[in-house]
Amino acid sequence: MSRSKYMKPPSRKSMIILIVCIITGFIIGYSYNLTKDNRQLSSPYVEKDESYREELIKQQERNKELSEELNELNQRIRDYEKSFASNQDEYDVLLQEAEKLRLMLGDIPAVGQGIRITLNDSEYNPNNSNPNEYIVHESHIFKVINELKISGAEAITINGQRLKANSYINCTGPVITIDGKQYPAPFVIEAVGNPEVLISSLQIVGGVFDQLINDQIVVTIERSAQVSIPSVNENQS
C-alpha cells in the first residue's frame, strides 16, 4: 500500500494560517532590518549633533570669558584715564610753579599788562642843609619792590635792569647800584601783573605811596597795556 494513499491534503484553514505566519514573519523581519538600517544611518547625525552642541557650549563659555576680560580691560582703561587726568592736573600745577620760579629767577622774559612807577628826587631846597632828605634812597625802592612782589608782580625791572630773586640794591650817594650796575635818578620801576591790584596796593591809605610823598619823593604811577621785561641773560648781553 503506497503512502500517498494515507496522506491527506492540508485543509484550507491550515493553508491560511500558514500564509499568515509567513507574511507576519516577513513583516517582522523586514521591520527589524529597516529599524536597524535607520539606526545605522541616524547614528552619525546624532554624533555630529552632540559634537556641535558641545562645541557651541564651549564657544559660549569662551565668549563669556572674553566678555569678562573685555570688561576688565575697559575698567583698567577708565582707571588709567582717571590717573592720566589726575596726573595732568598735577603736571599743569607743577608747570605753573616752574614757570613762576623761572620768572623769579629771571631765566625767561615776561610780557603782559602792568604798571610803570617813576621815583625822582625832589627839587633842591637851599634852606635844607641835608641833601639826603630830598633824594631817592634804596629804602624807598625796597618799599616799592616789596609791595609789588606781595601784590603778585610776575617780574620787575629798575631802569631796564631785571631783578632776580637774589638781586642786591645799594645806594651810593645820588646813584643806586643794582647787581653791580649803577643807575642815576629818575628810577623807573616796571612790573608785569594786574594793574588794578598793583596800583591799589601801592595807593592804600598810609601805604607806600603816602610814605614816599611824606619823604619828599616825586612819584608817578602809570598803567601799561603791555610791559616787556627781558630775561637776565638778555640784560647781560
Side-chain angles (χ1 to χ4, degrees), residues 106-205:
D107 291 339
I108 58 176
V111 179
Q113 59 179 348
I115 63 173
R116 182 179 293 104
I117 307 163
T118 303
L119 305 181
N120 207 352
D121 301 333
S122 62
E123 294 183 3
Y124 174 70
N125 185 354
N127 296 325
N128 192 340
S129 59
N130 188 358
N132 289 326
E133 294 184 2
Y134 62 86
I135 66 174
V136 179
H137 295 284
E138 60 186 23
S139 61
H140 299 130
I141 292 179
F142 277 129
K143 288 179 180 179
V144 175
I145 298 302
N146 290 336
E147 190 64 36
L148 290 174
K149 289 182 178 179
I150 292 171
S151 303
E154 297 177 4
I156 303 172
T157 61
I158 301 176
N159 287 15
Q161 176 73 32
R162 174 73 178 269
L163 296 185
K164 302 177 292 183
N166 61 343
S167 289
Y168 64 91
I169 302 173
N170 186 35
C171 180
T172 308
V175 300
I176 287 180
T177 302
I178 304 172
D179 294 335
K181 295 183 179 180
Q182 292 185 336
Y183 299 94
F187 303 103
V188 179
I189 301 173
E190 292 182 299
V192 173
N194 187 319
E196 300 299 328
V197 175
L198 297 178
I199 292 175
S200 297
S201 65
L202 291 171
Q203 293 184 336
I204 191 172
V205 177

Side-chain angles (χ1 to χ4, degrees), residues 78-104:
R78 287 191 291 269
D79 293 340
Y80 287 147
E81 289 175 345
K82 291 180 181 178
S83 176
F84 291 154
S86 176
N87 290 336
Q88 182 64 40
D89 293 339
E90 294 177 2
Y91 173 78
D92 291 339
V93 171
L94 292 175
L95 187 62
Q96 292 175 5
E97 292 296 327
E99 189 78 4
K100 291 179 181 179
L101 290 174
R102 283 195 288 267
L103 285 171
M104 289 177 60

Side-chain angles (χ1 to χ4, degrees), residues 3-97:
R3 294 178 60 184
S4 60
K5 182 177 180 179
Y6 294 100
M7 293 180 63
K8 295 181 179 181
S11 64
R12 183 177 180 182
K13 183 177 180 180
S14 298
M15 290 296 294
I16 293 173
I17 292 174
L18 179 61
I19 293 171
V20 169
C21 290
I22 292 173
I23 294 173
T24 301
F26 175 78
I27 292 173
I28 292 173
Y30 179 77
S31 299
Y32 172 79
N33 291 330
L34 181 62
T35 302
K36 183 179 179 181
D37 293 340
N38 288 337
R39 286 179 179 177
Q40 291 176 348
L41 290 173
S42 62
S43 179
Y45 295 104
V46 171
E47 292 176 357
K48 288 184 180 179
D49 185 61
E50 290 295 330
S51 176
Y52 291 151
R53 185 177 292 105
E54 291 177 358
E55 184 67 24
L56 179 60
I57 292 173
K58 290 181 181 179
Q59 290 296 330
Q60 289 175 343
E61 292 177 350
R62 181 56 180 162
N63 289 339
K64 183 179 179 181
E65 292 175 357
L66 292 174
S67 179
E68 292 175 351
E69 291 179 7
L70 179 60
N71 291 335
E72 182 181 352
L73 290 174
N74 285 330
Q75 183 61 45
R76 290 174 63 183
I77 291 173
R78 287 191 291 269
D79 293 340
Y80 287 147
E81 289 175 345
K82 291 180 181 178
S83 176
F84 291 154
S86 176
N87 290 336
Q88 182 64 40
D89 293 339
E90 294 177 2
Y91 173 78
D92 291 339
V93 171
L94 292 175
L95 187 62
Q96 292 175 5
E97 292 296 327

